[in-house]
C-alpha cells in the first residue's frame, strides 16, 4: 500500500451523508415551482372530491369507493385539466398558482428550518414522510392560499378591487374550505415523490 488512507469501500451511511443536497433556497424554489406548475390540476381534484361528497352521502361507503371511480377520474383528466391550462380559465388560475407557490414554498422552508434540515434525525423523519411533507404542506396550502393569498394577488395582478372580500366570502362556506384543504392534502401527497 502506497501511503494513503483506508481502501475500504464507504458504508451506506457514509454514502448517504456525503451526497450533495441543494441548498435550502433551491429546495424551496423546487417546491414552489412544482406547486405552481401543478396548480391547474388542483380544481380537477377538487371537482372529484365534491362529486364524491355529493353523490355518496355515507362516509363509510364513500371511503370504500375512493380510487374506484374511473369514469369521473377520466372526465376530470381528459376534459377539465386541459381546459384549466389554457384559455380564459388559465388567467383565473394564475393568481392561485402564484399564491400556492408562495405558501407551499414558505411552509416547506419553515418545516425544513424547524427540523434543522434534511440531514438531521428530525429532518429525515419529517421531510421524508409523505403525509407530513406532502399531505401536511398541501393541506396548509389548501387552507392558507385561498383564505389569505388569492384575493390580494387577484387585486394586485389584475387591478380588481374588492376581490379579497369576494374570495373571503366564498371561503366563508365550510364546504369551500373543506374542499380546498382536502384537495391540497391529496395534491401534496401525490406530488411528494417529485
Amino acid at each position: 500500500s502506497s501511503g494513503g488512507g483506508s481502501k475500504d469501500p464507504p458504508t451506506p451511511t457514509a454514502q448517504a451523508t456525503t451526497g450533495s443536497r441543494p441548498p435550502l433556497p433551491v429546495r424551496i424554489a423546487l417546491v414552489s415551482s412544482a406547486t405552481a406548475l401543478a396548480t391547474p390540476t388542483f380544481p380537477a381534484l377538487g371537482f372529484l372530491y365534491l362529486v364524491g361528497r355529493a353523490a355518496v352521502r355515507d362516509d363509510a361507503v364513500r371511503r370504500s369507493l375512493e380510487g374506484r371511480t374511473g369514469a369521473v377520474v377520466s372526465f376530470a383528466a381528459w376534459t377539465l385539466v386541459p381546459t384549466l391550462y389554457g384559455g380564459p380559465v388559465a388567467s383565473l388560475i394564475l393568481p392561485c398558482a402564484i399564491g400556492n407557490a408562495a405558501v407551499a414554498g414558505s411552509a416547506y422552508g419553515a418545516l425544513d428550518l424547524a427540523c434543522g434540515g434534511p440531514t438531521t434525525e428530525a429532518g429525515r423523519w419529517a421531510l421524508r414522510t409523505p403525509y407530513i411533507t406532502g399531505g401536511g404542506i398541501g393541506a396548509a396550502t389548501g387552507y392558507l392560499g385561498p383564505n389569505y393569498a388569492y384575493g390580494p394577488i387577484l387585486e394586485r395582478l389584475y387591478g380588481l378591487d374588492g376581490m379579497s372580500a369576494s374570495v373571503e366570502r366564498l371561503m366563508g362556506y365550510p364546504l369551500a374550505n373543506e374542499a380546498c384543504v382536502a384537495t391540497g392534502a391529496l395534491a401534496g401527497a401525490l406530488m411528494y415523490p417529485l
Side-chain angles (χ1 to χ4, degrees), residues 103-178:
V103 172
S106 299
Y108 174 82
L111 179 62
D112 191 294
L113 289 171
C115 292
T119 58
T120 66
E121 185 66 33
R124 281 191 296 275
W125 176 77
L127 297 172
R128 293 187 182 150
T129 304
Y131 299 114
I132 294 173
T133 305
I137 290 174
T141 301
Y143 180 79
L144 296 171
N147 282 286
Y148 299 104
Y150 295 180
I153 293 171
L154 278 163
E155 287 178 352
R156 191 82 157 145
L157 193 62
Y158 298 125
L160 299 171
D161 293 334
M163 281 308 292
S164 290
S166 296
V167 172
E168 184 179 326
R169 193 172 17 257
L170 174 66
M171 295 313 295
Y173 294 104
L175 187 58
N177 269 317
E178 181 182 330

Side-chain angles (χ1 to χ4, degrees), residues 60-87:
V61 172
R62 186 170 52 245
R63 272 188 241 111
S64 72
L65 293 175
E66 288 173 356
R68 297 183 186 121
T69 55
V72 178
V73 170
S74 177
F75 173 78
W78 297 106
T79 307
L80 291 179
V81 171
T83 303
L84 296 170
Y85 272 98

Side-chain angles (χ1 to χ4, degrees), residues 3-140:
S6 171
K7 300 291 184 192
D8 294 333
T11 62
T13 306
Q15 287 175 339
T17 58
T18 59
S20 70
R21 291 204 197 299
L24 179 60
V26 173
R27 294 193 308 269
I28 290 171
L30 290 170
V31 169
S32 295
S33 60
T35 301
L37 290 171
T39 291
T41 63
F42 300 166
L45 290 173
F47 168 77
L48 294 174
Y49 177 80
L50 291 174
V51 165
R53 185 148 161 87
V56 182
R57 298 282 183 190
D58 185 326
D59 286 340
V61 172
R62 186 170 52 245
R63 272 188 241 111
S64 72
L65 293 175
E66 288 173 356
R68 297 183 186 121
T69 55
V72 178
V73 170
S74 177
F75 173 78
W78 297 106
T79 307
L80 291 179
V81 171
T83 303
L84 296 170
Y85 272 98
V89 176
S91 63
L92 291 174
I93 300 278
L94 177 62
C96 301
I98 294 169
N100 287 346
V103 172
S106 299
Y108 174 82
L111 179 62
D112 191 294
L113 289 171
C115 292
T119 58
T120 66
E121 185 66 33
R124 281 191 296 275
W125 176 77
L127 297 172
R128 293 187 182 150
T129 304
Y131 299 114
I132 294 173
T133 305
I137 290 174

